[in-house]
Amino acid sequence: MTRTRLFRSRSFEEKEEEEEQQQHYSKHNITTSTGMRVIVPLQGVVQGRGGLFLGSVIPCALFYFFQLYLKRHRSEPKSPPPQPPPENSEGQLAEVSVSVLPRSLSRVHISPRSPGGPAYVSGRANSIVKGGDSPHDVGLRKALEDPYHQSGNPDGVIQLGLAENKLSLDLVGEWLAKNAIFGEELSIGGIASYQPFDGLMELKVAVAGFMSQVMKKSVFFNPSQIILTAGANPAIEMLSFCLADTGNAFLVPTPYYPCSDRDVKWRTGVEIIPVPCRSADNFRLSITALDRAFNQAKKRGTKVRGIIISNPSNPVGSLLDRETLYSLLDFAREKNIHIVSNELFAGSTHGNEEFVSMAEIIDLEDLDRNRVHIVYGLSKDLSLPGFRVGIIYSFNDNVLAAAKKLTRFSSISALSQRLLVFMLSDSNFIQQFIEINRERLRRMYIKFVAGLKQLGIECIKSHGGFYCWADMRGYIPSYSEKGELELWDKLLNIAKVNVTPGSCCHCIEPGWFRFCFTTLTEKDIPVVMDRIRKITETCKSHS
Amino acid sequence: MALSKNQQLLSKIATNDRHGENSPYFDGWKAYDKNPYHPIDNCEGVIQMGLAENQLCFDLIQKWIRRNPKASICTAEGVHEFKNIAIFQDYNGFKEFRQAVANFMGKARGGRVTYDPNRIVMSGGATGANETVMFCLANPGDAFLVPSPCYPAFDRDCGWRTGVQLIPVNCDSSNNFLITKAALEAAYERAQQDHINVKGLIIANPSNPLGTVLDRDTLRSLVSFINEKKIHLVSDEIYAASVFSTPSFVSVSEIIEEMECDRDLIHIVYSLSKDMGLPGFRVGIVYSYNDAVVNCGRKMSSFGLVSSQTQHLLASMLSDDEFVDNFLKENSKRLAKRHSMFTKGLEKVGIACLKSSAGLFVWMDLRRLLKEQTLESEMNLWRVIINEVKLNVSPGSSFHCSEPGWFRVCFANMDDDTVEVALERIRVFVEKQQVKSKRKFQNNLNLKLSCTPRRYDESVMSPHMMSPRSPLVRART
């Protein structure tokens, strides 16, 4: 059984490898492709001079061994992949290495009795060991190790790579201070014992109310359609497990949030098929592109199970309008696939454009509800990523039933649930928080984008999220991912500013960067701009 | 079962049965949920004796929390920490939290081992920890050996999403359910012949459902077995501090200090759900001696991080040495008292349990109450216990026990009065069985003389004697 599975995954991955540039070919592959290359010259030689043996077999044999030699010689430097090709994000690395390792592991090490050999771990674990870190990880780590502080560490790394909102934490802190609730109300007996794994009903009710408030009461959310999870990451992973089998795929418009690779693909074995969006369209999703990607997948024999969109988008910050949402639904219905709408930043909109939730579209037209699922959480809109609260909101009872069982692996701590029930039930506070937070976001966004504009850096007009999507094509040494990463490196190590390069987000055009501005105060903006200026002044593109 | 059109839109994982919730283990819980016992409001209800939860020491924890308001962010004294805590989502976890957990783990082993905080990896409860370890060690299709009887949900935790299969290694009462090297070797060889790639052995020590601890010699032989075969050893030690008598608990961490072993093969699963009675906090821990597993596990912990608020509270609590020492001692004492009360009560009606020194349950021997030594007989008896005696106990078959007639009964999730009620119900039930047996014996004597209808065949319950609400009337096993 193990062998059959690996064989199936091998043939699937073979098709992927044809598209990748540098791959390590297993013996199996060498035989197949060499086989093809032996047959063609064979025909020619057999028709040529010389007896059957001299004329055909010997040259062919020589040819064969020559090709084998070339193949082996060429493939050696590629195995194992020690230096990750810089254009791969962590997720793609996992994919690349996983496609390499199970094959070699199974073929060479089926019997674990090799004397003195190392203890073998799984393909997933090995991919982490050999994969190395993506720029996204490297930047985050550097910012952690040497964090900027205005007075304490003015030369530290300024963190613009983490979509975290520190602008309104003080409001929540004040609320807590005013409502010191731990005392009698939180008697440990009530919260220490086993609770329903998909969340307390009181919290589901409170969350449903919060979601409705965040979306300006345009939708009513039904608490019994809510599954609570320990963060949005497991929510996405659970949906991936529920809606797709290993080897199936989701269509995801690019650029997309780097960690989606881990959440959707890593442990599930499900693929992401990127659907490129271009700057010419302001990175808007086109149904044509979706259709094209779907058909290409079909030709390759990959079954597409759904589309995953983020709205507001991460990293671009744009909102999907009603028309697009309707078209997406039509597309999903036509192809009989799911739609997962990641609306994590629904409450963090700061522009004038209206946010429309997928739930609203479903509400208005009682369409094929069973294919729509919404992911939400409190990490962004309530600035509480530490408490680990994610939400799956689905109209499909079977998905809810399956996801409920999966929350066994990923439940919210009862301690935090109780606290949040109190907080979210204070609708006056929540209303105030949402409004003030939006206002502070808007102010910060305007100042930051203006600052970038003064440096000659334009951003895509965004209406939500904690970041802006900046066009730095004029500053990269070469119009390629390599060039983009060189600029990223300078920004991180010379200017000491951590930003997220577009390649980590699978952006098809090099030169775009995501800058998060919500971990800053207004005083920090000039400091940031100064540092960036140092690089942009020396980096004007020569192309 | 044909999938509806709706279900066909879902994955295999979402529609298969490996979540295990259709097994009898959960049927009993469903019966309890429909008719839960309450001393005042529903004294005829089903008493929950199928949930291994420790409710004996809440008061100690509550007292500590009240005395240490700084540890909570919801108090005036602690709220200033809120900002840092709310924003913290680093999958490494708070350093203080890891240190405190390492400290607690060491104390639970009597200080005989120390644990490195940098090897502590968080997960969503012990459930999440077992799954994470499997994801890190095995590929889909690989297998792990597991001595049975074992925790029913291992199948789900270790295999549902990971694709790993569990191969039971049967242990029986002939040697008090000890794991023998011979049994392990046999299971391993059989797997090799079937071309199944065995990646490791997973044990629960102290054992669930047996409540026994593994002695040093057995542990040593297990370690040498996995070392020799170059397979992994996962030791689920979630009941390490729930030991109330001798023999005392020996951790695999102690064994590897005493003998030659490839440490990359050793992994421990831990949790605070049982030993501290805090299952609601969802604190699962993977402790591995293998760097690749720690590395990979850390990244996977994003799928089940412990809430930063909880980390902060526990970091304070578990680094309070005085509190921890007292808690561990008091917990053992209370468990011992409860265990003794329960087993003595059972002895009075002639029911024996496997001698155990740990855990929140006993492994009850009801073989002599079975009509036949078969699985069906066990299930029939179990239905009687749920429906007539109104106790939710867990039948041995749901633990993959090869010998029928054993039942796991939890005793730590209720107060003393409820224990008395449960014991009384058992006493009444056993006495009724004895009366029935006597009558049956007398009837058998008279059988030659008259044709007596089979009115007293207690192993067959006609539907009208079962509560009409019971799902077990419809349950198929």
Side-chain angles (χ1 to χ4, degrees), chain B residues 77-305:
Chain B
E77 297 87 338
V79 76
H80 62 277
E81 291 279 7
F82 166 74
K83 219 173 163 184
N84 294 330
I85 291 169
I87 215 85
F88 185 80
Q89 53 176 330
D90 181 0
Y91 58 40
N92 289 296
F94 282 124
K95 195 173 64 158
E96 300 81 0
F97 173 70
R98 283 184 282 118
Q99 279 167 346
V101 170
N103 182 38
F104 183 76
M105 284 174 73
K107 281 187 186 285
R109 290 147 181 82
R112 297 182 296 273
V113 207
T114 47
Y115 288 93
D116 176 3
N118 294 323
R119 292 193 173 280
I120 302 257
V121 171
M122 295 181 285
S123 61
T127 305
N130 276 314
E131 196 195 39
T132 299
V133 164
M134 288 300 149
F135 268 126
C136 290
L137 298 180
N139 293 318
D142 289 342
F144 260 73
L145 299 173
V146 58
S148 69
C150 67
Y151 172 52
F154 264 163
D155 255 328
R156 171 196 66 198
D157 298 351
C158 301
W160 187 19
R161 300 194 292 184
T162 61
V164 169
Q165 38 177 332
L166 289 183
I167 297 175
V169 179
N170 289 326
C171 308
D172 57 50
S173 57
S174 58
N175 64 346
N176 283 329
F177 297 93
L178 284 176
I179 311 168
T180 61
K181 192 151 185 189
L184 282 175
E185 292 276 1
Y188 184 82
E189 288 309 320
R190 236 183 350 260
Q192 293 288 97
Q193 279 163 17
D194 292 338
H195 300 293
I196 297 176
N197 187 20
V198 175
K199 231 35 206 305
L201 165 67
I202 176 166
I203 59 173
N205 176 31
S207 160
N208 178 2
L210 305 174
T212 51
V213 297
L214 292 176
D215 58 272
R216 281 204 127 82
D217 287 331
T218 309
L219 276 170
R220 260 195 261 263
S221 74
L222 291 180
V223 171
S224 70
F225 172 77
I226 56 112
N227 217 19
E228 180 203 331
K229 307 278 189 249
K230 294 223 167 316
I231 60 177
H232 295 276
L233 176 63
V234 176
S235 182
D236 180 337
E237 302 188 344
I238 61 175
Y239 294 99
S242 304
V243 180
F244 45 80
S245 115
T246 52
S248 55
F249 170 66
V250 178
S251 165
V252 71
S253 309
E254 296 174 53
I255 300 299
I256 61 175
E257 298 291 333
E258 299 167 1
M259 61 185 282
E260 274 295 310
C261 167
D262 180 359
R263 288 183 170 218
D264 276 349
L265 297 172
I266 309 289
H267 322 274
I268 295 177
V269 161
Y270 193 60
S271 161
L272 299 181
S273 303
K274 312 294 184 181
D275 285 348
M276 289 210 74
L278 299 173
F281 284 18
R282 311 312 304 142
V283 180
I285 304 289
V286 175
Y287 188 95
S288 175
Y289 291 90
N290 181 325
D291 291 341
V293 173
V294 172
N295 206 351
C296 181
R298 276 241 199 285
K299 295 185 161 70
M300 287 189 183
S301 58
S302 297
F303 297 113
L305 286 179

Side-chain angles (χ1 to χ4, degrees), chain B residues 246-412:
Chain B
T246 52
S248 55
F249 170 66
V250 178
S251 165
V252 71
S253 309
E254 296 174 53
I255 300 299
I256 61 175
E257 298 291 333
E258 299 167 1
M259 61 185 282
E260 274 295 310
C261 167
D262 180 359
R263 288 183 170 218
D264 276 349
L265 297 172
I266 309 289
H267 322 274
I268 295 177
V269 161
Y270 193 60
S271 161
L272 299 181
S273 303
K274 312 294 184 181
D275 285 348
M276 289 210 74
L278 299 173
F281 284 18
R282 311 312 304 142
V283 180
I285 304 289
V286 175
Y287 188 95
S288 175
Y289 291 90
N290 181 325
D291 291 341
V293 173
V294 172
N295 206 351
C296 181
R298 276 241 199 285
K299 295 185 161 70
M300 287 189 183
S301 58
S302 297
F303 297 113
L305 286 179
V306 177
S307 160
S308 53
Q309 177 196 15
T310 308
Q311 287 186 50
H312 179 68
L313 178 69
L314 291 172
S316 276
M317 197 190 292
L318 300 182
S319 27
D320 183 345
D321 283 335
E322 201 188 313
F323 166 75
V324 171
D325 290 335
N326 181 49
F327 180 89
L328 292 173
K329 213 170 55 190
E330 193 59 30
N331 188 36
S332 280
K333 225 168 65 183
R334 294 182 190 185
L335 278 174
K337 186 157 162 250
R338 178 57 65 84
H339 175 260
S340 164
M341 172 191 182
F342 193 68
T343 46
K344 289 211 166 75
L346 290 177
E347 263 170 41
K348 281 206 194 106
V349 289
I351 295 182
C353 298
L354 184 71
K355 184 160 170 357
S356 67
S357 59
L360 308 174
F361 33 72
V362 289
W363 190 231
M364 191 166 67
D365 183 358
L366 293 184
R367 287 177 292 175
R368 68 178 179 86
L369 291 181
L370 290 186
K371 187 157 187 269
E372 294 157 358
Q373 299 299 315
T374 62
L375 171 62
E376 204 194 317
S377 225
E378 179 185 280
M379 294 317 296
N380 289 333
L381 177 57
W382 174 65
R383 279 187 211 107
V384 169
I385 299 177
I386 300 264
N387 296 319
E388 203 184 83
V389 190
K390 301 255 178 52
L391 299 177
N392 176 29
V393 299
S394 312
S397 49
S398 57
F399 298 89
H400 305 291
C401 183
S402 50
E403 253 180 58
W406 294 88
F407 291 78
R408 187 192 78 171
V409 186
C410 300
F411 54 70

Side-chain angles (χ1 to χ4, degrees), chain A residues 29-84:
Chain A
N29 250 353
I30 291 172
T31 323
T32 335
S33 26
T34 328
M36 284 305 293
R37 294 180 199 201
V38 166
I39 290 174
V40 171
L42 236 186
Q43 285 177 336
V45 173
V46 162
Q47 283 161 8
R49 319 182 267 134
L52 192 64
F53 187 73
L54 287 173
S56 54
V57 175
I58 294 183
C60 284
L62 287 173
F63 201 71
Y64 173 78
F65 286 118
F66 180 63
Q67 295 221 333
L68 210 57
Y69 167 78
L70 276 181
K71 274 251 144 48
R72 283 223 187 93
H73 191 68
R74 199 172 59 214
S75 64
E76 262 159 33
K78 291 190 214 109
S79 74
Q83 207 47 244

Side-chain angles (χ1 to χ4, degrees), chain A residues 287-344:
Chain A
I287 300 294
T288 324
L290 262 182
D291 202 32
R292 196 182 314 131
F294 183 89
N295 292 329
Q296 281 171 351
K298 203 167 165 190
K299 270 198 213 113
R300 282 205 305 271
T302 303
K303 186 159 189 211
V304 171
R305 296 305 284 261
I307 311 165
I308 303 179
I309 53 170
S310 62
N311 177 29
S313 145
N314 184 356
V316 178
S318 51
L319 301 180
L320 292 174
D321 58 31
R322 264 175 221 278
E323 207 184 303
T324 313
L325 290 173
Y326 279 120
S327 314
L328 275 170
L329 261 180
D330 288 336
F331 180 81
R333 196 181 321 112
E334 184 196 318
K335 309 291 183 198
N336 193 22
I337 58 179
H338 294 272
I339 298 182
V340 175
S341 180
N342 180 343
E343 302 186 349
L344 215 45

